[in-house]
Amino acid sequence: MALIILVVLIACNFIMALVSSLAAKPHNYVIVENTFPAEKIDDPKVLHFSKSFRTRQFQAASILTILDFVLLIPMKDSSFMLLFFLLLYLTIGTNYLITLRYIRKGHQLIVENHWQLTTQPIQIDTRLVLEKNRKLVSAWWFLLSLGLILLLSGLLYQRALLDLALMLLIINVLIWGMMFFIWRVISRLPVRPLTADQKINQQYNDLTKFYWSSLSVFMSGLISLIIFIPLLTMKMDVKFFSLLTILEISLILLFCGASLWWLVRLRQKQDQLLTSTATFRYFGEDYYWRYGMYYNPNDNRLMIPDRIGMNISVNLGKTAGKIFLGLIPIILIAAMAVTIVPLYVLDYHPDPLSYEIKNEAVILDGPFVKEQNIPFDQITKVELTEQIPTGIRTNGLATNNYDIGHYRIAGKSAVLFVDHQSKPILTITTNDHSYYYTNKKPAETKKLYQTIQRFNQ
């Protein structure tokens, strides 16, 4: 587990460095949030500035990667996850601080060399406004991904995985709705003539609408497959598990690689259009891109293209934009708390995985899963083992030390309350489910085993 998370962190370090380094490549004559004169893009000072920014990003990624190896030191799971989140947030913070520093250096470079551009008034191209969505991918294509979602959910329903079918349906419909919302945002994005050439302006807008809308449709379907494949393994022969795992990884790589390639291709085509004309219009937007974020109360747009050309950003000058920005730290802190607090309970509570004998039933309880009430008359088998058979987790917690939640083991639903640092493991079997339990004190586990045996005799 530690090795997998280490690989994830290292990947995050270099993916963020790679994506951020795109800001150093001119897009609409913008380099690291600063607009340079077209004739100065290849100036040695500008080239050195761009190269320096890319170098700093990858140097930081390398240093953070070395620091990430501290995760290989043996430690409690709660400490491990706390350190993981801190290292992840350190990566995000470092990336932002480097970008912020170079935004200021870029502005200083422009001022020192008197490269300031003259702000030009925004012009309205009526024809462009009326035809802004002529290359937008039709919303009807979303019916294909919606049909795929219903089909995959139906397959799980046929395999008697009712809870998982419902969960898959809810999650995928939410994701589908989010992709459709993004499509709606793209369709409503206002247009601005970037040059004095109406033909180039139209082509530039057509490229943006087509590439972004088609990507939202593509993502609405592929994400459903990525979520579905792990669930398919629950009712499939074990020999197919490796094959499906390879397919799952391939889909994830396809999702990431294809999305990045598609957006980079859009950037390249947009820049080719702008370099074919000398009438690029500067609207003075550098002033509003403060600290790498757009803040302009006088701009009616809430959603706007970012300056790299790879994403959609929000206008923090609007109330909704401020709310969005405020939600980000709340979500980050909540994600850390939801993960770490239960682990802290497992690591330091004197009896985190508890049991109770009540009304001729045994009640098992622990974090991440609701308590399980098992009547004695439904128990068909009880035994002590040293190891859990191989299975697949459907939801819950799985670390080097703990397995807690719902699993699929030997083709049967299973609920685990297991601390692997405590042996033996109590196995309780009924006609429909299996239960695996360990108390922090092995003597308590054996005591529960003996109690159930007495009731079943």
Side-chain angles (χ1 to χ4, degrees):
M1 178 64 71
L3 185 59
I4 294 174
I5 290 181
L6 176 62
V7 171
V8 170
L9 268 181
I10 293 174
C12 287
N13 292 338
F14 285 96
I15 288 174
M16 290 191 68
L18 175 63
V19 174
S20 296
S21 67
L22 291 173
K25 296 183 177 181
H27 176 63
N28 295 356
Y29 305 111
V30 175
I31 303 175
V32 195
E33 306 291 359
N34 290 280
T35 306
F36 287 80
E39 66 275 10
K40 300 298 180 181
I41 291 296
D42 295 323
D43 187 280
K45 294 178 183 178
V46 177
L47 295 177
H48 174 74
F49 169 71
S50 301
K51 182 180 179 180
S52 176
F53 175 74
R54 290 194 297 268
T55 300
R56 290 292 179 271
Q57 289 287 0
F58 283 99
Q59 284 176 343
S62 300
I63 294 171
L64 289 167
T65 294
I66 295 172
L67 188 60
D68 290 341
F69 277 93
V70 71
L71 291 175
L72 297 180
I73 299 174
M75 64 185 79
K76 290 184 178 294
D77 285 340
S78 56
S79 301
F80 178 87
M81 291 307 300
L82 175 61
L83 189 56
F84 164 74
F85 277 104
L86 292 178
L87 288 170
L88 178 62
Y89 296 163
L90 179 62
T91 296
I92 297 171
T94 301
N95 179 277
Y96 176 70
L97 289 175
I98 292 175
T99 301
L100 187 61
R101 179 169 178 262
Y102 272 82
I103 290 174
R104 294 176 178 176
K105 289 183 70 172
H107 178 71
Q108 184 180 1
L109 179 64
I110 290 173
V111 172
E112 289 177 350
N113 291 275
H114 306 289
W115 289 344
Q116 294 94 329
L117 294 169
T118 302
T119 302
Q120 300 182 30
I122 298 174
Q123 291 184 345
I124 304 298
D125 186 335
T126 305
R127 181 176 179 180
L128 179 60
V129 172
L130 293 175
E131 298 183 354
K132 68 176 185 178
N133 288 331
R134 70 177 190 176
K135 294 295 184 180
L136 185 79
V137 172
S138 173
W140 291 106
W141 285 101
F142 278 97
L143 291 179
L144 291 178
S145 55
L146 182 59
L148 178 63
I149 291 171
L150 296 176
L151 174 63
L152 297 179
S153 300
L155 288 174
L156 288 179
Y157 180 82
Q158 287 184 341
R159 291 171 175 268
L161 297 172
L162 306 184
D163 293 340
L164 289 175
L166 180 60
M167 180 182 69
L168 177 72
L169 182 62
I170 292 173
I171 291 175
N172 277 324
V173 167
L174 288 174
I175 294 173
W176 182 89
M178 182 177 67
M179 292 299 108
F180 186 77
F181 172 76
I182 291 174
W183 179 91
R184 286 285 297 168
V185 169
I186 294 167
S187 69
R188 296 172 64 89
L189 283 176
V191 291
R192 291 184 177 181
L194 297 177
T195 74
D197 189 322
Q198 290 185 343
K199 182 179 179 181
I200 289 179
N201 292 334
Q202 185 69 65
Q203 290 175 335
Y204 186 98
N205 175 74
D206 289 347
L207 284 170
T208 303
K209 298 285 185 170
F210 171 75
Y211 272 77
W212 281 6
S213 60
S214 59
L215 181 62
S216 64
V217 172
F218 170 76
M219 292 172 65
S220 69
L222 186 60
I223 293 176
S224 299
L225 286 175
I226 291 174
I227 296 174
F228 172 72
I229 288 177
L231 303 179
L232 184 65
T233 60
M234 294 177 198
K235 285 278 189 175
M236 188 165 283
D237 196 292
V238 177
K239 64 183 180 181
F240 293 108
F241 180 78
S242 298
L243 180 62
L244 289 174
T245 301
I246 294 173
L247 180 59
E248 174 77 358
I249 295 173
S250 300
L251 283 175
I252 293 173
L253 292 176
L254 173 64
F255 172 75
C256 298
S259 299
L260 183 60
W261 173 80
W262 194 245
L263 292 173
V264 170
R265 182 178 172 84
L266 170 62
R267 270 176 49 108
Q268 292 173 341
K269 288 190 173 185
Q270 289 174 331
D271 291 333
Q272 287 173 2
L273 282 175
L274 293 184
T275 54
S276 65
T277 178
T279 59
F280 176 75
R281 301 176 62 82
Y282 174 64
F283 303 129
E285 289 192 336
D286 287 6
Y287 175 78
Y288 299 106
W289 282 94
R290 304 175 184 179
Y291 308 106
M293 295 175 283
Y294 187 73
Y295 184 92
N296 185 0
N298 298 319
D299 191 337
N300 291 326
R301 298 176 298 172
L302 174 62
M303 312 297 292
I304 57 173
D306 70 2
R307 309 210 85 185
I308 301 179
M310 302 285 287
N311 205 346
I312 296 176
S313 186
V314 297
N315 181 3
L316 299 182
K318 300 297 180 181
T319 302
K322 294 183 178 71
I323 293 174
F324 176 81
L325 180 64
L327 286 175
I328 293 176
I330 293 174
I331 292 172
L332 293 177
I333 294 172
M336 184 168 64
V338 167
T339 303
I340 294 173
V341 170
L343 285 173
Y344 184 86
V345 172
L346 287 169
D347 284 337
Y348 297 103
H349 192 281
D351 192 20
L353 303 175
S354 61
Y355 74 89
E356 181 182 4
I357 304 297
K358 186 177 181 181
N359 298 329
E360 296 188 353
V362 56
I363 301 172
L364 304 180
D365 196 12
F368 288 103
V369 63
K370 69 177 182 179
E371 67 178 25
Q372 301 292 309
N373 190 308
I374 315 168
F376 287 127
D377 58 8
Q378 293 184 11
I379 297 175
T380 59
K381 184 179 180 181
V382 59
E383 61 181 336
L384 294 174
T385 61
E386 294 294 321
Q387 190 172 358
I388 301 173
T390 302
I392 300 172
R393 176 170 56 95
T394 57
N395 65 70
L397 166 73
T399 70
N400 290 335
N401 294 326
Y402 303 105
D403 275 305
I404 300 173
H406 294 268
Y407 284 65
R408 196 84 184 173
I409 297 177
K412 193 174 186 179
S413 296
V415 185
L416 275 64
F417 300 85
V418 176
D419 178 353
H420 291 290
Q421 301 165 98
S422 177
K423 296 291 177 68
I425 301 170
L426 175 65
T427 304
I428 302 172
T429 305
T430 67
N431 290 329
D432 300 322
H433 296 82
S434 296
Y435 303 87
Y436 297 84
Y437 172 81
T438 61
N439 193 277
K440 212 162 195 177
K441 299 175 182 178
E444 287 294 322
T445 305
K446 295 176 182 177
K447 180 181 176 181
L448 177 58
Y449 167 71
Q450 294 167 355
T451 302
I452 297 174
Q453 272 196 324
R454 285 199 302 270
F455 272 95
N456 280 359
Q457 287 177 350

